[in-house]
């Protein structure tokens, strides 16, 4: 085994576990037949689901924190529900999307460094991300401070704007929790330590439900009590993850605080910003769908029906986000370990798996198409619109399971900047104008808007599939080695030849 501690062929006890190998383990052999394909498919599927299962559960628990607070706010009062809903979806949702995007740069860097055996760099990368996300939080805090005028500007009522603005001020601690949580989540995720995140999120959710009931309803503190509990829940996740990291369970990945965290920050900012743009363009795209529906003639019915559909889609996307996290880890780890064939096959497996999961969800939706609309609304007109939108929703369930998985491939390989340009073209230059044309000019209403914007998503997904198919994975593995050395500050080993 290579004794050079900086070599990408290093194998560590931290890296060889849970089906993950680095360095001295060879790349997967070429697939020579159908039986060989299914054997390898089963092996890779096991690795993917080992990561995806806890990731899905973690996303569900953390997503439920806001949903629980919103549910209790509905029992406090109508204005309280509206205030929290607007703050959580507009101000909080906007900030959350940016912070997740900025933090996702670590998925590329930590994943590839871990795969290459350069485990000691993970802690430094995480600290750099803390610095950048903390500064980002200081910038985003203005959205919380000036939430009331911002909400008035976009057309919210004065009463709701003032109530939401007050709630936004109370939720500033949550913003800074995001800044520390997301880098730690990516740090642990790169090492396949996702199960501990699931445990922490489960305990947090149980405590959150109890204390939300106690403070908001039993003690009668209302939204103020809800803000206290929600902030405390997110900081509990941060502190619990930090204690786990510094307790020695991550080995060489955490060796303490380092001044190196303040070096090479500009390059880190550029990759973080590209990641944020890529993910935010995807998140805001479907937010725009509901916004455009508000300008239709029968806006209330259209918005209610779309809200039901997007809620169902949002729940289903939790599965897709699990695949997103899993394949990001698999691709980044295997590229870092110079295993291009394994990385490529991971892409094949996650694409096929996410497709069949989407088809299964779509079939279930179609089977219960007559029953499920009544679960969300008693209004017969809304139910009829939802029923009419079911074929589109079913198609979305399939496409929106594949697309996040392919985005995870892009993050694992470090393609964020290129994908951001593709998202702009497919979503905002093609999808949005087509949706507006079909919805308003062709008078197809909400169905036309959705068809147009869904077409943009389909085009983007097909482009991602084509990119993955045409990618030279050997070259990507070489680029990963170059990227690891660039970000770690290591010099190339004398006499070593790299092909790019």
């Amino acid at each position: 085994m290579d004794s050079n501690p900086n070599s990408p062929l290093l194998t560590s006890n931290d890296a060889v576990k849970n089906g993950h190998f680095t360095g001295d383990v060879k790349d997967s052999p070429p697939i020579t037949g159908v039986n060989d394909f299914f054997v390898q498919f089963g092996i890779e599927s096991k690795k993917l689901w080992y990561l995806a299962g806890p990731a899905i559960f973690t996303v569900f628990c953390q997503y439920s924190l806001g949903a629980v607070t919103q549910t209790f706010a509905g029992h406090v009062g109508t204005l309280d529900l509206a205030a929290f809903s607007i703050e959580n979806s507009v101000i909080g949702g906007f900030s959350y999307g940016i912070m997740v995007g900025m933090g996702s740069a670590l998925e590329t860097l930590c994943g590839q460094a871990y795969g290459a055996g350069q485990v000691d760099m993970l802690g430094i990368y995480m600290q750099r991300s803390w610095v950048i996300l903390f500064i980002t939080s200081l910038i985003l805090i203005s959205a919380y401070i000036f939430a009331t005028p911002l909400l008035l500007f976009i057309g919210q009522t004065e009463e709701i704007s003032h109530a939401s603005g007050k709630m936004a001020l109370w939720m500033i601690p949550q913003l800074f929790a995001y800044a520390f949580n997301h880098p730690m989540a990516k740090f642990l995720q790169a090492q396949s330590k996702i199960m501990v995140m699931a445990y922490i999120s489960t305990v947090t959710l149980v405590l959150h439900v109890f204390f939300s009931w106690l403070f908001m309803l039993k003690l009668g503190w209302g939204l103020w009590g809800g803000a206290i509990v929600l902030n405390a829940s997110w900081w509990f996740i941060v502190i619990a993850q930090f204690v786990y990291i510094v307790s020695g369970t991550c080995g060489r990945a955490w060796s303490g605080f380092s001044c190196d965290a303040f070096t090479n920050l500009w390059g880190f900012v550029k990759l973080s910003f590209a990641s944020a743009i890529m993910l935010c363009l995807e998140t805001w795209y479907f937010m725009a769908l509901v916004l455009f529906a508000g300008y239709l003639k029968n806006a209330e019915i259209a918005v209610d029906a779309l809200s039901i559909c997007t809620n169902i889609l949002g729940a289903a996307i939790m599965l897709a986000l699990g695949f997103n996290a899993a394949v990001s880890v698999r691709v980044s780890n295997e590229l870092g370990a110079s295993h291009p064939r394994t990385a490529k096959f991971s892409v094949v497996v996650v694409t096929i798996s996410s497709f069949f999961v989407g088809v299964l969800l779509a079939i279930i939706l179609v089977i219960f198409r007559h029953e499920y609309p009544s679960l969300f609304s008693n209004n017969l007109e809304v139910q009829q619109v939802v029923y009419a939108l079911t074929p589109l929703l079913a198609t979305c369930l399939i496409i929106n399971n594949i697309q996040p998985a392919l985005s995870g491939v892009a993050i694992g390989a470090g393609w964020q900047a290129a994908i951001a340009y593709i998202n702009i073209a497919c979503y905002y230059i093609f999808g949005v104008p087509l949706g507006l044309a079909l919805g308003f000019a062709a008078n197809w209403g909400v169905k036309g808007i959705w068809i147009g914007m869904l077409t943009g998503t389909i085009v983007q997904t097909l482009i991602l599939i084509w990119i993955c198919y045409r990618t030279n994975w050997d070259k990507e593995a070489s680029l990963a080695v170059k990227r690891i050395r660039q970000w770690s500050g290591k010099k190339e080993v004398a006499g070593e030849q790299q092909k790019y």
Side-chain angles (χ1 to χ4, degrees), residues 270-271 273-278 281 410-411 414-424:
K270 289 191 290 185
L271 182 59
F273 187 70
S275 300
I277 293 296
M278 184 190 105
L281 288 174
I411 292 171
W415 302 337
Q416 289 94 325
I419 302 303
Y421 288 115
I422 293 171
N423 287 351
I424 291 173

Side-chain angles (χ1 to χ4, degrees), residues 150-468:
L150 284 173
L151 293 172
L152 287 170
F153 177 76
I154 64 174
Q156 295 297 318
T157 66
E158 188 167 339
E159 189 178 25
I160 291 177
S161 296
H162 283 287
S164 299
K166 185 183 294 185
M167 183 69 185
L169 291 174
W170 293 341
M171 293 310 301
I172 288 176
Q174 183 190 52
L175 173 64
F176 288 93
Y178 291 160
F180 293 98
N181 172 65
H182 296 314
M184 283 192 285
K186 305 308 179 186
F187 170 86
L188 292 170
Q189 178 181 304
Q191 304 169 69
S192 301
K193 295 181 181 294
I194 297 184
M195 190 61 73
V196 67
M197 296 165 59
Y199 289 144
I200 291 171
S201 297
T202 301
V203 172
T204 304
L205 180 59
V206 172
L207 294 174
H208 183 78
V209 172
F210 172 74
F211 284 106
S212 293
W213 168 81
L214 179 64
F215 280 76
M216 296 181 72
L217 300 183
K218 188 68 175 178
L219 298 180
W221 289 15
L223 277 188
W224 169 238
I228 291 174
V229 176
L230 191 54
N231 285 322
S233 294
W234 276 102
W235 275 102
F236 177 82
I237 292 174
V238 170
I239 293 170
Q241 289 180 162
F242 182 72
V243 169
Y244 177 83
I245 289 170
V246 301
S247 65
T249 54
C250 295
R252 293 189 298 115
W254 175 261
S255 55
F257 293 99
S258 172
C259 292
D260 289 341
F262 296 94
T263 62
N264 204 8
L265 283 178
W266 176 239
F268 213 97
V269 167
K270 289 191 290 185
L271 182 59
S272 298
F273 187 70
S275 300
I277 293 296
M278 184 190 105
L279 292 179
C280 286
L281 288 174
E282 295 173 0
T283 303
W284 297 337
Y285 189 55
F286 274 92
M287 290 174 59
L289 175 60
V290 179
L291 177 65
F292 294 145
Y295 296 106
L296 294 170
K297 293 180 181 178
N298 199 353
E300 185 176 342
I301 298 297
V303 170
D304 285 352
L306 268 183
S307 297
I308 292 171
C309 292
T310 53
N311 282 334
I312 294 172
L313 190 60
I317 283 178
M318 291 183 192
L319 291 171
L321 291 177
F323 282 119
N324 177 285
V327 76
S328 172
V329 173
R330 293 293 300 133
V331 169
S332 60
N333 282 180
E334 298 302 341
L335 288 178
S338 296
H339 296 162
R341 277 197 302 269
T342 305
K344 181 179 180 179
F345 194 65
S346 295
V347 177
V348 174
V349 173
V350 78
T351 303
I352 294 174
S353 300
S354 57
F355 170 76
F356 280 109
V357 168
V359 169
L360 178 61
L361 293 174
I363 290 172
I364 293 172
L365 185 78
V366 171
I367 290 173
F368 294 101
R369 64 188 180 280
H370 296 290
E371 289 81 17
Y372 83 88
S374 60
L375 297 175
F376 298 92
S377 176
N378 294 322
N379 187 304
L380 291 178
E381 194 173 355
V382 172
Q383 291 179 24
Q384 290 172 355
V385 175
V386 173
Y387 175 77
L389 292 174
T390 296
L392 277 175
L393 179 56
T395 305
C396 260
L397 289 176
I398 298 173
I399 299 300
N400 282 75
N401 259 279
I402 300 173
Q403 189 273 335
L406 294 175
S407 292
V409 174
I411 292 171
W415 302 337
Q416 289 94 325
I419 302 303
Y421 288 115
I422 293 171
N423 287 351
I424 291 173
C426 294
Y427 290 160
Y428 298 96
I429 297 178
F430 176 71
V432 168
L434 180 61
L436 294 177
L438 293 177
F440 294 94
N443 203 29
W444 287 12
V446 64
K447 185 178 290 188
I449 296 175
W450 199 352
I451 289 174
M453 297 182 70
L454 177 60
T455 303
T457 305
I458 292 172
V459 172
Q460 188 252 18
T461 303
L462 292 174
I463 291 174
L464 288 180
I465 292 173
W466 181 80
I467 288 174
C468 291

